[in-house]
Amino acid sequence: MGKGSQQAQGDSTTRTVSLPDYADPYFRRLLKGSEEATQPFYPDDPDTYGDLAGESTYVPYGGERIAGSEDYGDIGTSRAMVRGIAESPIGGLGEAAALQRRGIAGLEGLANYNTAAFDPYTGFQAGRADPYSGFQAGSADPFSVFNKSQFQAQRASEFGFDPARQFTGAEVQQYMDPYMQNVVDVQKREAREDFGRSQAARDAGAVTAGAFGGSRQAVQQGMAEEGLREQLGDIQAAGSQAAFQQAMKAFESDRAAQMDVDARRAAEAARVQGVDIGEVARTEAASAAEAARTQQSRAAELARTQGISLDEAARVQASEAAELARTQGISLDEAARIQNAEAAERARVQSAREASRQFGAGQGLAAYQAALGAGRGLVDYGERARAADIQGAQLLETIGRDLRGEDQARLDLAYQDFLRQEDYPMRQYERFAGLLSGVPIQPDISTATYQAYNPIQQALGAGISGLGLYKGLTG
């Protein structure tokens, strides 16, 4: 197959190298077949290739390459579920918000709690003693120097209760902790920092799951941001509620202490006024008795001088006057005792009424706190239900992706088969070339030497030879 030449001065040599006859046809067919297999176009030879002459040798793949997700109902259902979850609010959030609003309104109502006003006891009335007017003289001249005992009515003064304090805006601001909002702001900042630190982990998880930039990552990101907003709202609500409750407790303690002092002062005033009125009644009764005794003595003396009948009349009249004075004294003492008891009972009833109102307010506070807790429970239940829906959608998507993966594997296998079939001739030529490269072939080498012809040189040579011959002959 290869040729070489070596030229010497005055002659030429030709060296020919070729494959042996038994190997030459195989190499020629290998080269021709490889050339045809790698040509981008068929040769322009209609007699040999017919309609394919001059056409491209490229054969496109006629099958499907991608298994479309729209052909799988589970994937479509999962995406529809995720879209519905993303567009709908958390279950129970509206009811929880309504409970929160009612709870806040109730707490505001308790903040404007109005204590029962103590009404001062105004039923004190002074008893009035009527003088004895039934004295009648007999035939003797009546004793006309009787003097009435003048009873002075006493007036009980009202106890001046201070108006009850109200837990209004000014009282709320006075008792609220001024550093509460600073603590809440720090907690909010820490929550945002935790959210920022976990963002990289969520992105890495999305990349690992192959959902980075997809709808699943968007849903997870939206849930994370929604959780952050709820966490910030819970932090603010918990801080405000705690500060409000502490302020209310401090206010209730101060107000209860003030009311207890007012109740004790009212009871003491009622007791002192009762004692004063009783003492006045006792003094006036004693004065009336002394006046009756004096008049009785004078009447007895007059009756003694006027006769035994007048003495009897004086005795009877003196007894009647003494009984009237005793009865009026007892009546004034009883009236003072009753009025004192009524004042004490009114103070006790008003204290019990205020204690009952405070107990009702405490029960209302507990009910509103329970409503707030129930609202948080509804939100937690809604979040768990939403997480379960998301998990169901993910399971459906997993099933659809598994089915799609199997179909995609079959499509990939069909395409690989097509590539192997298309490359089959070239791979066969490569195998054939490998076989030939392993066969020990000794090339045929032939060498031919040709002498160059030069007339002048031959003539000179002949002359020299003749000259030598002539010298040899002539001696």
Side-chain angles (χ1 to χ4, degrees):
M1 298 262 319
K3 294 182 178 181
S5 62
Q6 183 177 1
Q7 186 175 1
Q9 185 175 1
D11 56 9
S12 63
T13 301
T14 302
R15 186 171 180 268
T16 303
V17 180
S18 61
L19 290 172
D21 293 338
Y22 68 87
D24 184 74
Y26 297 102
F27 280 97
R28 291 183 184 275
R29 285 197 300 270
L30 176 61
L31 293 175
K32 183 179 180 182
S34 299
E35 181 184 11
E36 290 178 354
T38 57
Q39 290 296 320
F41 296 95
Y42 289 101
D44 194 6
D45 186 1
D47 295 336
T48 303
Y49 297 97
D51 295 337
L52 295 177
E55 297 294 331
S56 175
T57 59
Y58 175 73
V59 180
Y61 180 66
E64 293 289 338
R65 292 289 308 280
I66 301 297
S69 60
E70 64 275 2
D71 297 332
Y72 300 90
D74 291 332
I75 295 179
T77 303
S78 173
R79 291 177 177 176
M81 290 175 63
V82 172
R83 185 176 293 106
I85 292 171
E87 293 176 353
S88 56
I90 298 177
L93 185 60
E95 293 83 352
L99 287 174
Q100 292 279 351
R101 285 193 290 270
R102 287 198 295 271
I104 293 173
L107 292 175
E108 291 177 350
L110 291 178
N112 296 326
Y113 170 75
N114 185 15
T115 58
F118 284 99
D119 297 329
Y121 180 71
T122 57
F124 290 102
Q125 296 180 359
R128 181 177 181 83
D130 296 329
Y132 181 74
S133 59
F135 288 103
Q136 295 180 358
S139 57
D141 295 334
F143 184 72
S144 58
V145 293
F146 286 102
N147 295 323
K148 298 179 180 179
S149 177
Q150 303 296 323
F151 290 96
Q152 301 293 328
Q154 299 296 317
R155 181 176 181 82
S157 59
E158 299 178 355
F159 182 75
F161 286 98
D162 293 332
R165 295 171 58 191
Q166 305 296 322
F167 197 50
T168 58
E171 295 284 357
V172 172
Q173 293 300 323
Q174 178 181 356
Y175 283 91
M176 287 285 283
D177 187 357
Y179 300 102
M180 180 275 298
Q181 190 59 43
N182 295 334
V183 176
V184 171
D185 292 340
V186 171
Q187 293 177 349
K188 286 183 175 180
R189 184 176 67 251
E190 292 178 351
R192 294 190 182 97
E193 291 175 354
D194 292 340
F195 179 81
R197 285 191 291 267
S198 62
Q199 182 64 45
R202 287 193 294 273
D203 293 342
V207 171
T208 304
F212 187 76
S215 60
R216 183 165 58 182
Q217 186 200 13
V219 171
Q220 292 177 350
Q221 183 67 23
M223 292 178 62
E225 293 177 355
E226 184 176 0
L228 176 62
R229 290 192 294 272
E230 291 178 358
Q231 183 181 6
L232 295 178
D234 292 342
I235 290 174
Q236 183 64 46
S240 300
Q241 182 178 358
F244 181 83
Q245 290 177 351
Q246 292 177 359
M248 181 185 294
K249 289 180 180 179
F251 172 78
E252 290 294 341
S253 299
D254 292 347
R255 185 171 62 181
Q258 179 183 357
M259 292 172 59
D260 183 67
V261 171
D262 290 343
R264 292 177 181 275
R265 292 170 60 189
E268 181 65 18
R271 186 188 66 79
V272 172
Q273 289 180 357
V275 171
D276 292 342
I277 293 177
E279 182 66 20
V280 170
R282 188 188 64 79
T283 303
E284 290 184 349
S287 299
E290 180 66 19
R293 187 187 64 79
T294 303
Q295 290 176 355
Q296 179 184 0
S297 298
R298 293 178 181 178
E301 181 65 19
L302 179 63
R304 188 181 62 80
T305 57
Q306 290 180 350
I308 188 60
S309 58
L310 293 181
D311 185 26
E312 182 64 18
R315 186 186 65 79
V316 171
Q317 290 179 353
S319 298
E320 291 179 353
E323 181 65 19
L324 178 61
R326 185 186 66 81
T327 302
Q328 289 180 347
I330 292 175
S331 298
L332 291 176
D333 289 341
E334 183 66 16
R337 187 189 64 79
I338 292 173
Q339 290 179 356
N340 186 20
E342 288 179 352
E345 180 65 16
R346 171 165 292 192
R348 186 190 65 80
V349 170
Q350 289 182 344
S351 298
R353 185 182 302 169
E354 179 61 21
S356 176
R357 286 169 57 87
Q358 291 184 4
F359 176 77
Q363 292 295 102
L365 177 61
Y368 291 133
Q369 290 175 345
L372 295 175
R376 288 192 292 270
L378 285 176
V379 174
D380 293 339
Y381 176 77
E383 290 178 347
R384 288 195 295 269
R386 187 171 190 177
D389 293 340
I390 293 175
Q391 185 178 9
Q394 290 174 345
L395 292 176
L396 283 178
E397 184 180 6
T398 301
I399 295 173
R401 287 185 179 275
D402 291 341
L403 295 176
R404 182 187 178 192
E406 294 177 0
D407 294 342
Q408 184 64 47
R410 283 191 287 270
L411 293 177
D412 293 340
L413 181 60
Y415 182 66
Q416 294 298 327
D417 290 341
F418 169 76
L419 294 179
R420 284 191 295 269
Q421 293 170 5
E422 185 181 39
D423 198 40
Y424 178 75
M426 180 58 68
R427 288 190 290 107
Q428 291 299 100
Y429 286 128
E430 291 175 352
R431 293 178 63 187
F432 188 47
L435 292 174
L436 290 178
S437 63
V439 175
I441 299 175
Q442 185 67 32
D444 292 337
I445 302 174
S446 61
T447 304
T449 303
Y450 301 93
Q451 186 175 5
Y453 175 74
N454 190 341
I456 299 174
Q457 186 177 1
Q458 287 184 352
L460 290 176
I464 293 173
S465 298
L467 180 61
L469 182 60
Y470 174 74
K471 287 181 178 182
L473 291 175
T474 59

